[in-house]
Amino acid sequence: MGLDESLEMLAIKNSLAYIAQFNDTTYIAINCSPSHILSGALEYTLQGADCSRLVLEITEHSPISDYTVMRAALAPLRKKGLRLAIDDVGAGFSSFQHILELEADIIKLDISLTQNINKDNRKFLLAKALCGFAKAIDCTIVAEGIETQAELNALRKLNVDNVQGYFIGRPAPIEDALSYQSMTLST
């Protein structure tokens, strides 16, 4: 129906409406299609937003045909503090190209790499290499899909910066997330 850009920008606007309710160290991760970044829709949608509290996630499933043009489209937002995360790293080749070409701030290890990382030495060693690379280029590492204590323990050995997954917390309505934040920060 041709509403993909409108719906994507509406989702981003709706997310931005809640950012002030979270503490200053909390950021909101948003996803945006490369075509909507290049069209200027994202920059328009983020006018007036505190971009220092936003992370734009780019996935390997989002093809980018010209990285020079993409970097230029992102430059005004990056100057306003927008951070960039490469999502699904370890799931395929293009995420590595995204890391190299887009100068990411955050590298998100895909669940295909983190699931059972405590039992699979090859996964552990690949994650270790990615963590070393990330630290060398001053990137934060986020491990996705953590579902067990054993996986969390393995990732602690790698000194990942942050984790996410059902073991940590399930998706929740905004009211529950705000309540959880105040509860965990005060304890």
Side-chain angles (χ1 to χ4, degrees):
M1 296 180 62
L3 296 175
D4 59 331
E5 184 174 279
S6 297
L7 291 173
E8 200 166 283
M9 294 308 114
L10 180 60
I12 291 169
K13 285 179 192 175
N14 287 341
S15 297
L16 294 175
Y18 292 99
I19 197 164
Q21 295 181 42
F22 287 96
N23 67 53
D24 291 341
T25 62
T26 301
Y27 64 83
I28 291 181
I30 58 174
N31 293 295
C32 187
S33 303
S35 61
H36 303 151
I37 296 167
L38 294 173
S39 74
L42 180 64
E43 185 177 5
Y44 180 79
T45 299
L46 296 181
Q47 283 181 347
D50 181 1
C51 289
S52 69
R53 298 196 52 205
L54 298 176
V55 172
L56 175 62
E57 293 190 5
I58 303 283
T59 180
E60 75 158 22
H61 308 294
S62 303
I64 297 174
S65 58
D66 188 332
Y67 284 100
T68 302
V69 172
M70 180 59 74
R71 282 191 303 273
L74 289 170
L77 296 171
R78 301 279 285 178
K79 285 180 185 172
K80 290 175 59 179
L82 180 79
R83 289 177 288 163
L84 187 65
I86 306 302
D87 198 13
D88 303 326
V89 172
F93 172 75
S94 59
S95 59
F96 296 120
Q97 188 172 8
H98 285 1
I99 292 167
L100 296 172
E101 296 284 350
L102 296 176
E103 300 175 11
D105 302 293
I106 300 169
I107 295 173
K108 297 185 75 178
L109 301 179
D110 187 68
I111 188 173
S112 64
L113 183 58
T114 62
Q115 191 171 49
N116 296 315
I117 193 167
N118 55 300
K119 298 176 185 175
D120 188 330
N121 195 45
R122 292 182 303 161
K123 286 183 178 185
F124 184 86
L125 292 173
L126 178 56
K128 183 178 181 178
L130 289 170
C131 288
F133 174 74
K135 298 297 181 194
I137 63 169
D138 200 28
C139 273
T140 300
I141 287 280
V142 176
E144 299 179 302
I146 309 312
E147 297 182 1
T148 69
Q149 183 69 52
E151 291 169 347
L152 181 60
N153 291 342
L155 291 160
R156 281 185 173 139
K157 290 177 187 175
L158 296 175
N159 294 317
V160 298
D161 299 296
N162 294 297
V163 295
Q164 67 183 64
Y166 287 165
F167 184 71
I168 308 305
R170 293 188 177 267
I174 188 70
E175 296 79 17
D176 293 348
L178 289 166
S179 175
Y180 179 77
Q181 174 191 255
S182 63
M183 180 180 63
T184 57
L185 292 177
S186 63
T187 57

